[in-house]
Amino acid sequence: MTATNTSRIDTSKVAYAKPQPFGMVSDVFVPGALDLDGDEKLWVPQADGVWFKPLVLCVSQGYYVNLLRVRNSGVLSRHRHAGPVHAFTLRGRWRYLEHDWEAVPQSYAFEPAGETHTLVVPDDVEEMVTLFHVTGGYVYVDPQGVALGYEDVFTKLEATRRHYTAIGLGEDRAMELVR
């Protein structure tokens, strides 16, 4: 009769033992990422009544994830996407003039590459916060599609770097979010 080892190691609770792939970048971990009422300094000014809180700025793959906070009703921007966008509404409401749906808390929107739309925050909304995952950039356009400006991960990084340096957090704080 063979003795049975009753104290076997539960391998489901053992960390992966091998090294990660060569050249792999490190994780980004943002404690309190969805704390919408936390440290105001982390919100980067974008326009009058508009801020963003970067969560990851992936320059190597051309995307970024941020929270967009708007405390100013009306037309926010008209823009055309070069890549897909995922949006999760956390607070308030917003819509696109080109669609018949309205984004409310707990809703999700997928925006395909190539789409042009006009983001509006209704007059009765005091604050809108939405988590956006933006791949590629977008071009701000007039109603006829004439380009007026653009935004991408690099413009977001530069705005974050300038803001964090100006308020004393430093450029290194911005670089912690870059991959």
Side-chain angles (χ1 to χ4, degrees), residues 13-110:
K13 297 179 182 177
V14 175
Y16 181 64
K18 294 189 161 207
Q20 297 296 336
F22 177 78
M24 188 185 89
V25 298
S26 60
D27 296 350
V28 171
F29 178 73
V30 182
L34 296 181
D35 181 0
L36 305 182
D37 301 312
D39 191 350
E40 291 286 321
K41 294 184 301 189
L42 300 177
W43 293 87
V44 179
Q46 181 169 312
D48 184 37
V50 181
W51 300 262
F52 70 92
K53 181 180 176 183
L55 302 179
V56 66
L57 301 163
C58 191
V59 299
S60 64
Q61 295 183 34
Y63 73 84
Y64 60 91
V65 178
N66 69 190
L67 297 170
L68 180 69
R69 179 171 68 189
V70 179
R71 292 180 174 161
N72 194 16
S73 63
V75 173
L76 180 62
S77 72
R78 182 180 306 100
H79 54 275
R80 177 182 308 117
H81 291 279
V85 174
H86 303 270
F88 297 89
T89 304
L90 305 174
R91 184 179 283 171
R93 302 183 335 270
W94 58 277
R95 63 183 297 260
Y96 290 129
L97 295 179
E98 297 78 11
H99 296 293
D100 61 1
W101 52 263
E102 182 176 64
V104 298
Q106 301 184 25
S107 62
Y108 164 77
F110 170 76

Side-chain angles (χ1 to χ4, degrees), residues 61-173:
Q61 295 183 34
Y63 73 84
Y64 60 91
V65 178
N66 69 190
L67 297 170
L68 180 69
R69 179 171 68 189
V70 179
R71 292 180 174 161
N72 194 16
S73 63
V75 173
L76 180 62
S77 72
R78 182 180 306 100
H79 54 275
R80 177 182 308 117
H81 291 279
V85 174
H86 303 270
F88 297 89
T89 304
L90 305 174
R91 184 179 283 171
R93 302 183 335 270
W94 58 277
R95 63 183 297 260
Y96 290 129
L97 295 179
E98 297 78 11
H99 296 293
D100 61 1
W101 52 263
E102 182 176 64
V104 298
Q106 301 184 25
S107 62
Y108 164 77
F110 170 76
E111 304 169 16
E115 181 169 276
T116 303
H117 42 235
T118 309
L119 194 156
V120 176
V121 176
D123 290 339
D124 63 337
V125 174
E126 291 184 23
E127 179 179 66
M128 179 276 280
V129 179
T130 299
L131 185 146
F132 283 100
H133 180 290
V134 179
T135 301
Y138 47 91
V139 178
Y140 294 111
V141 297
D142 73 7
Q144 302 307 312
V146 175
L148 304 172
Y150 74 96
E151 194 156 65
D152 62 16
V153 67
F154 299 101
T155 62
K156 290 290 194 184
L157 172 57
E158 181 57 23
T160 302
R161 188 190 65 75
R162 277 194 321 265
H163 175 68
Y164 285 4
T165 299
I167 64 169
L169 290 176
E171 187 175 287
D172 289 346
R173 181 67 181 266

